């Protein structure tokens, strides 16, 4: 049984940093998987903020480019999201997700629109101004 356990959320002032982690257990090879961080805020649909393909290729939603970094440690089966220069608009519930296959590619980059098989529980990130 595959499980994704998220940690690292919290409250921070604008300009601060947080690092989210997503530990994978069970029969999922993170080295073969498309993995992502998604964010949901009240009144809005859940959106992908960052995605990483099995070979480490990444893609980011425009508002977080240059501030967020997605990475993974395949040996430890852990996905990370380093969030710097946080803004109040970054507030939301953050989820990690994974699929059993590589990402759909668009012009060589992992697509931000993907169907994921496995989901972690959400972690709240609150950024105050």
């Amino acid at each position: 049984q595959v499980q994704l356990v998220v940690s690292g959320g919290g409250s921070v002032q604008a300009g601060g940093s947080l690092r989210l982690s997503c530990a994978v257990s069970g029969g999922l090879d993170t080295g073969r998987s498309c993995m992502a961080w998604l964010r949901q805020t009240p009144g809005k649909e859940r959106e992908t903020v960052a995605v990483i393909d099995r070979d480490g290729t990444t893609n980011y939603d425009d508002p977080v480019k240059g501030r967020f970094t997605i990475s993974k440690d395949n040996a430890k089966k852990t996905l990370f999201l380093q969030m710097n220069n946080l803004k109040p608009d970054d507030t939301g519930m953050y989820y990690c997700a994974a699929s059993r296959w590589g990402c759909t590619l668009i012009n060589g980059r992992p697509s931000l629109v993907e169907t994921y098989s496995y989901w972690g529980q959400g972690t709240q990130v609150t950024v105050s101004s």
Side-chain angles (χ1 to χ4, degrees):
Q1 182 180 359
V2 175
Q3 288 189 316
L4 280 62
V5 178
V6 179
S7 60
S11 297
V12 65
Q13 288 191 324
S17 298
L18 285 173
R19 189 189 197 206
L20 306 183
S21 298
C22 174
V24 179
S25 62
L28 181 70
D29 184 348
T30 59
R32 295 176 179 266
S33 300
C34 181
M35 303 186 73
W37 290 97
L38 299 93
R39 174 174 67 201
Q40 186 155 29
T41 54
K44 293 180 66 176
E45 292 187 0
R46 190 160 46 191
E47 57 186 359
T48 302
V49 296
V51 59
I52 186 167
D53 205 356
R54 50 193 174 182
D55 65 352
T57 305
T58 60
N59 197 11
Y60 299 89
D61 195 19
D62 284 344
V64 309
K65 284 181 179 177
R67 301 187 298 119
F68 289 14
T69 302
I70 187 171
S71 62
K72 60 179 179 171
D73 184 332
N74 291 326
K76 296 183 178 180
K77 299 180 70 171
T78 303
L79 178 73
F80 302 101
L81 184 68
Q82 178 66 43
M83 304 184 291
N84 298 328
N85 190 20
L86 282 159
K87 302 177 180 181
D89 284 350
D90 296 321
T91 295
M93 189 70 76
Y94 284 71
Y95 299 86
C96 70
S99 70
R100 283 200 171 274
W101 302 279
C103 298
T104 302
L105 298 180
I106 298 178
N107 295 325
R109 304 293 297 276
S111 173
L112 294 176
V113 178
E114 191 71 62
T115 300
Y116 297 102
S117 303
Y118 307 104
W119 291 84
Q121 88 285 8
T123 188
Q124 178 67 34
V125 171
T126 303
V127 185
S128 57
S129 58

